[in-house]
Every structure is written in C-alpha cells, then in structure tokens.
Amino acid sequence: MTDYTKENKQIAELFAIEGEVQDVRPYGEGHINQTLLVTTDKKRYIMQKMNTKVFTDPDSLMRNICGVTEHLRARGVETLEVIPTKEGQPFYKGEACYRMYAFIENTITYQTVSDAKVFFNSGKSFGEFQNYLAEFDASKLTETIARFHDTPKRFADFKAALEKDSFNRRKDCEKEVQFVLDRADTYSKAVEGLQSGKLPLRVTHNDTKLNNILMDAETGEARAVIDLDTIMPGSMLYDFGDSIRFGASTAAEDEPDLSKVNFDINLFKAYAEGYCGAVKESITEEEKKLMPYGAYLMTMECGMRFLSDYLSGDTYFATKYAGHNLVRARTQFKLASQMQERFEEMSAIVYAACEK
Ligand code: ADP
Ligand code: GN1
Ligand code: MG
C-alpha cells in the first residue's frame, strides 16, 4: 500500500462505515473536490477531500447539504447519504476536511450525452429537483460561494486576471480574450432581472452539469442529483443554462478538436422538454423568455472562468495538462457563438416544451 493510500485509509476509518477498508482510489471527473472511492469488504463509499480554498466555510456547507438531503429523503427522493464520523460529526476536520457519502450503486455519470433520452431524463430530474427546492426554506441556507453566477462580477474578475497577466499567457489566447471583451454588454440580464424582481429568486442547484446527476446504469432513468455544494438562492436560468452548456454539445467540455464541438439543437430540445415539462407550473413568462439567453450566459460565464483560471496559473479548476483550461474555454466560446445564432429556434422550443 502506498503512503497516499495508507493515509486515506486511515482517514476513511474515522467514519462510521461498515466493514474493513480494502481499497481507496481516485474516482470521477469533478473539477473541484478530490473524490475517492472507498471499498470495504461490505460496501462502497465516496470520500471527498473538500476544497476549502473554494468553499471556505465547510461547516455551513455541510449544514446546507444535510438540510437539503433530509428534505429530499422525507419526500421519498433518492439522494446523497452523508455518513458521519465515528464521533457523530457530518465531516472530519483535521489539517484538511473530508466527508463521506454512501456510494449510490448501479448508476453511471456521463461526460457527454450518448442518447437524447438520457438528456431528457436528466432535464426532467433537474426540473423536479427545482420543484422540491421550491418547498425548502431558503433562510436555512448559507450562500457557500458569494455571487457565484453574478456574470458581470465574473467578467470583472476576468478583466483583472487579464490586466495582471501574471504568467504572460495573454499572448497565447488573444482571440479568446477578444471574444469575451466583444460581448461585454451581454452579461448583465440575469443579475439585473433578479435585482429588479423581474426574475424570481429561487433556491437552485447552480452546478447542473450532466456528471452531477447519477443515472441508472440499466434503465437510463435519473436516480440522484449530486454535487450539492452550490445549492443557494439563484435563478432557473442558471440551472437550465448550465445543463445546456455542458450537455447540448456534440463533444466533451475539453475536446481539443474544435471541429467536433457543435451546439446540438436536438439535444437542446430533449433537455428543454424534460426540464420545462417538469417546471411548467411555476416557470414565469420572463423566465421562459430568457431561457435561451440563460444557456448562452452560462456558457460564456463558464468560458470566461476557464480563461481567467488559465491566465492566473490554473489554481481553481483541476487540470490534467498545461493548457487544459484554455482548451475548455475554447469549447465554451464555440458553443456560445453558435447559440447566439439560434435564439429564435431555441425560444420556440422552450415555449412549446412549457405547453406540453
Ligand atoms: P466535484 O465537486 O469535484 O465535481 P462531485 O461531488 O461532483 O465532485 O463528485 C465527482 C464524481 O464522483 C461525480 O461526477 C460522480 O461520478 C461521482 N460521485 C460522487 N458522489 C457519488 C455517490 N454518492 N455515488 C456514486 N458516485 C458518486
Ligand atoms: C465545476 O464541481 P464540478 O466539477 O461539478 C464548477 C462549476 C463549473 C464546472 C465546469 C464549485 O463543477 O461551476 O461550471 O466545474 N464548480 C464550482 O465544468 O466552481
Ligand atoms: Mg461535480
């Protein structure tokens, strides 16, 4: 057993898990937490080293997660099960913070959409998730990352990173930088809508990419929405938009060959039918109108976050190679520019999906 495995095994044993730990290994494709699969002679678990640079208040974060998962479980919804430490705490706080979840068996997560039906199912499930959150008392939630989807703020952060250009990388991404700067006047509609009250403030998931939902390995039905770290007040535009930016693409978020990356209107339709169908009782006219824009906005926002991280030396998102964040930013910008050309079609699809 390597030291790394031994140390993680010792941490795993601090939790109230069943059986003897036999194996601990890295798992999944998340960009934020360090996720480990723990196997005992009885069961499997997911242990995460929490990213406390990103989530600076782990106590409040875990209180949010325990509250939301209890709320869902009480309504018969399959959700994450927090395994406490042997001392009864919701997570372990040492030099680093760790938490443990039961492994949700017989499920898979997709990095790209293999089948429109799967994407429809994920949309339906995120829409239903939105409905359950609507019944949750928002005053019980702590905002885990302030101004998470405040796109003008993200744009300001981007410009600050650009100004600094600490790693002298601007020269390698001038085209992408210009793409973001050229669209400066398109970033404020969601934040302004929330501020003026034109858009309702809801409790939202805020990180609804396809690999944050577990799908049944046999039926392709959605089983559980996971990655509950960013549940906070927000807008439906965010949850709808973020799913589209990741899933309504013909390629992976980090596909280096841009000729393979295209916005797929049929996948957009599949997701819209799932999501809008589920929220049609509560969605407002303004939200309907802005859903296509939400998809564009989340794609641009994510792209500028990847590009900012590239310019700042890759400290936020986990990367696998030099230039990974730039590759990710490029896919987002290609998708966003294609979305801009298809707002009318997207809009017709959203309205029809709300009628069904
Ligand atoms: P990050 O915040 O880094 O994205 P996630 O919480 O999304 O981390 O977890 C990363 C991946 O681990 C998920 O995409 C999923 O594949 C897997 N995963 C997380 N929790 C579970 C669970 N309880 N059961 C099965 N797989 C899980
Ligand atoms: C991160 O945690 P993960 O990998 O599911 C990020 C999202 C981005 C996404 C891009 C807390 O999601 O906001 O949209 O990467 N999460 C956080 O893939 O910043
Ligand atoms: Mg995740």
Side-chain angles (χ1 to χ4, degrees), residues 2-17:
T2 61
D3 282 353
Y4 162 80
T5 313
K6 209 190 272 172
E7 191 191 318
N8 282 324
K9 181 173 178 281
Q10 283 164 358
I11 295 164
E13 284 164 349
L14 299 171
F15 288 85
I17 54 175

Side-chain angles (χ1 to χ4, degrees), residues 30-33 35 46 48 80 102-104 109 211-212 226-227:
H31 297 342
I32 303 295
N33 297 296
T35 301
I46 287 286
Q48 288 182 321
L80 288 172
F103 189 90
I104 302 182
T109 41
N211 62 19
N212 286 333
I226 59 166
D227 204 341

Side-chain angles (χ1 to χ4, degrees), residues 17-28:
I17 54 175
E18 280 180 46
E20 290 294 313
V21 178
Q22 292 181 326
D23 187 61
V24 185
R25 61 180 64 190
Y27 188 81

Side-chain angles (χ1 to χ4, degrees), residues 64-76:
N64 282 1
I65 292 186
C66 292
V68 169
T69 52
E70 276 162 27
H71 173 85
L72 294 168
R73 207 167 291 113
R75 284 156 182 78

Side-chain angles (χ1 to χ4, degrees), residues 191-296:
V191 164
E192 281 173 11
L194 290 172
Q195 273 164 2
S196 70
K198 264 176 124 181
L199 282 172
L201 187 66
R202 301 176 180 275
V203 178
T204 45
H205 181 283
N206 295 306
D207 189 2
T208 54
K209 62 178 173 176
L210 189 61
N211 62 19
N212 286 333
I213 190 163
L214 301 176
M215 312 296 291
D216 193 283
E218 273 151 43
T219 65
E221 298 279 323
R223 287 267 301 276
V225 170
I226 59 166
D227 204 341
L228 308 177
D229 294 334
T230 51
I231 292 186
M232 288 182 278
S235 164
M236 249 191 209
L237 267 54
Y238 303 156
D239 280 4
F240 179 78
D242 196 53
S243 287
I244 296 300
R245 75 148 193 94
F246 188 87
S249 168
T250 52
E253 185 186 63
D254 60 353
E255 171 57 57
D257 179 355
L258 281 184
S259 70
K260 294 186 182 154
V261 181
N262 286 297
F263 171 58
D264 186 329
I265 195 88
N266 291 320
L267 293 180
F268 177 86
K269 183 164 182 271
Y271 191 89
E273 286 178 350
Y275 188 88
C276 298
V279 301
K280 65 182 174 192
E281 302 301 330
S282 62
I283 190 168
T284 66
E285 279 307 310
E286 191 65 12
E287 285 172 323
K288 274 184 216 172
K289 195 175 105 194
L290 288 177
M291 278 317 209
Y293 167 76
Y296 160 80

Side-chain angles (χ1 to χ4, degrees), residues 53 154 156-170 173 177 304-317 319 325-326:
K53 241 170 74 187
R154 296 289 191 183
D157 293 347
F158 163 75
K159 284 192 291 188
L162 188 61
E163 187 69 28
K164 272 197 188 157
D165 195 16
S166 308
F167 292 80
N168 193 27
R169 290 181 174 174
R170 176 173 181 161
C173 56
V177 164
M304 72 177 86
R305 290 175 64 199
F306 287 144
L307 195 55
S308 302
D309 201 30
Y310 173 70
L311 290 165
S312 314
D314 307 306
T315 58
Y316 186 93
F317 298 104
T319 50
N325 272 316
L326 178 57

